[in-house]
Amino acid sequence: MSGVGFGMGQRPVNRRQRAVKALWTGIWLVYLSAPVSDLLHGGHSTGVRVLGWIGLAAFVTWYMLLVFRTGRGERNAVVLGSLGVLAAQSTLLALTLGREWLVLFVYVSIASGAALPMRMARWTIPAACALLTAVALATHGGDSFLAGLLIPALLGGFAMTGVRELVRTTIALREARATVAQLAANEERLRLARDLHDLLGHSLSLITLKSELAGRMLPDHPDKAVRQVADIERVSRQALVDVREAVTGYRRPRLSAELAGAGVALTAAGVTAGLPAEPDLTGVPEESETALAWALREAVTNVVRHSGAARCTVELLHRQTLDGPVLELAVEDDGSGAGHGYGNGLTGLDERLTQAGGTLEAGPVRQGFRLVARVPSAGPADVGSPA
């Protein structure tokens, strides 16, 4: 489906997506049925019909190019010139061929709202409507079409300004999210560099110093050199322990990251994912969050590999029990291949939750398989509800 659809604010990047956008842009051309009917049944001469078809084709081509390229950074002067061409075409066709061609001004108004910023569209849309009014009054029988075209021109034009602003906001939001992610990655790298410097800087300096001392003492004072070597070994072992603890902390799974990863994994496997909102884990013990993150990873892995499910729902709730507040994670799918007993993964997960003071329940339900993991928590009353 990625090759067909694209989100609001995203430009088409391949031929299929361009075709989809062209279809959605061109579907509104159905309202040109009045000019087409006039060319077919209006009683015009052959020469007038040929010129009319040429004029209509030129108008549609210019309109499609203008609207299709909206948001690609063209200067406003170029857009204004294009709108001027559309307005001139509409005026010429309506004055020469009749009132049925007044509908072209609705497209001029809509193109104004779609292609110009609001500060300019608020003037060009009324201008297009004023030109529509003038041409309608100058065209035989045009005043009877005026009321039915003026309101769509105004509403359609200003509606398109709202759509344009929504697209711009969506693009800005995507860019802001990408910037935040990049800044977070940079901050994480800086934190890692600081931690490694703090952990290893002093230890490596001490090892270097004692190595030099041991080298100088070795010929004349081997007993003192042995003590220095023993100190080097002790410092090295402690540095290794510190590095392992630091790496373990960096590798500790986080529940928010696992939720995001679960959505990606389930979608890639063709499973419809129902995920909770971003959780507020303020006050939740770190070991509890880690245990639930492992539980979510194991549950989603089982769904993807073994369940054959079409849908998987994840719930994350705070509950008050007789033993105190708990954070509860529930993962339920509608598959049939998840199994009915504890495998090695669930057994290890049960042990991990037990170490964190939590519990695990897993087993088949009426339409699938359900896993529920609970850990101690002191957070708010409700983290999130299922999607």
Side-chain angles (χ1 to χ4, degrees):
M1 293 298 290
S2 59
V4 178
F6 51 95
M8 179 173 289
Q10 291 180 321
R11 296 172 185 168
V13 296
N14 55 46
R15 185 175 302 173
R16 186 173 297 180
Q17 290 183 357
R18 294 188 188 98
V20 171
K21 182 171 182 178
L23 175 63
W24 281 107
T25 304
I27 196 172
W28 301 105
L29 298 178
V30 67
Y31 293 104
L32 292 177
S33 57
V36 171
S37 177
D38 179 63
L39 289 175
L40 294 176
H41 310 292
H44 300 293
S45 64
T46 302
V48 172
R49 287 182 181 180
V50 171
L51 293 177
W53 283 114
I54 293 175
L56 183 60
F59 179 89
V60 170
T61 301
W62 204 268
Y63 169 80
M64 291 289 288
L65 288 175
L66 178 59
V67 176
F68 190 81
R69 294 183 62 83
T70 295
R72 296 197 178 188
E74 288 88 347
R75 292 174 298 178
N76 290 331
V78 176
V79 177
L80 286 172
S82 300
L83 290 172
V85 172
L86 288 177
Q89 290 177 331
S90 303
T91 302
L92 179 62
L93 291 171
L95 290 176
T96 56
L97 294 177
R99 60 184 183 178
E100 288 81 4
W101 296 78
L102 292 172
V103 70
L104 298 183
F105 287 99
V106 177
Y107 290 89
V108 177
S109 178
I110 291 175
S112 299
L116 286 174
M118 182 60 185
R119 69 178 187 278
M120 302 182 70
R122 64 182 179 180
W123 300 108
T124 57
I125 294 173
C129 293
L131 182 59
L132 165 62
T133 303
V135 175
L137 295 177
T139 303
H140 177 68
D143 53 346
S144 62
F145 279 38
L146 185 58
L149 295 176
L150 195 58
I151 294 178
L154 280 171
L155 294 182
F158 283 109
M160 288 306 300
T161 62
V163 173
R164 176 185 170 89
E165 291 302 312
L166 180 59
V167 170
R168 290 180 64 254
T169 303
T170 302
I171 294 175
L173 180 59
R174 293 178 190 275
E175 293 175 350
R177 286 178 175 174
T179 302
V180 170
Q182 182 64 36
L183 292 175
N186 292 339
E187 180 62 27
E188 190 68 11
R189 283 193 290 268
L190 290 174
R191 187 167 73 91
L192 176 59
R194 289 194 301 267
D195 289 354
L196 289 179
H197 177 270
D198 294 341
L199 288 172
L200 298 180
H202 175 72
S203 299
L204 293 178
S205 299
L206 187 58
I207 289 172
T208 301
L209 178 61
K210 287 186 172 291
S211 298
E212 293 175 354
L213 289 175
R216 289 198 295 266
M217 293 176 179
L218 189 58
D220 301 325
H221 305 283
D223 53 337
K224 294 182 179 180
V226 169
R227 288 197 295 271
Q228 296 297 329
V229 171
D231 289 343
I232 292 173
E233 180 183 4
R234 178 182 57 79
V235 173
S236 300
R237 290 183 181 277
Q238 184 59 45
L240 182 59
V241 171
D242 293 340
V243 170
R244 284 176 175 172
E245 290 179 352
V247 171
T248 300
Y250 280 106
R251 294 175 60 189
R252 186 187 303 275
R254 300 296 179 185
L255 195 53
S256 57
E258 290 301 323
L259 283 170
V264 173
L266 291 170
T267 302
V271 180
T272 301
L275 300 176
E278 183 72 19
D280 179 9
L281 301 176
T282 304
V284 176
E286 188 173 88
E287 57 271 17
S288 295
E289 179 190 355
T290 300
L292 282 193
W294 283 113
L296 178 59
R297 180 182 298 184
E298 176 67 22
V300 170
T301 300
N302 287 340
V303 171
V304 171
R305 290 183 178 178
H306 309 301
S307 70
R311 178 174 179 82
C312 177
T313 302
V314 179
E315 296 177 348
L316 187 61
L317 301 170
H318 272 278
R319 298 189 184 280
Q320 186 68 36
T321 67
L322 295 177
D323 296 328
V326 299
L327 182 60
E328 178 182 285
L329 172 75
V331 181
E332 183 174 341
D333 63 74
D334 60 356
S336 59
H340 297 274
Y342 276 34
N344 292 331
L346 292 181
T347 300
L349 179 60
D350 189 20
E351 295 173 354
R352 190 186 298 274
L353 287 168
T354 301
Q355 291 176 359
T359 59
L360 174 67
E361 298 176 5
V365 292
R366 186 177 60 178
Q367 294 181 343
F369 192 85
R370 180 177 175 86
L371 179 146
V372 179
R374 299 182 183 89
V375 291
S377 169
D382 192 354
V383 174
S385 58

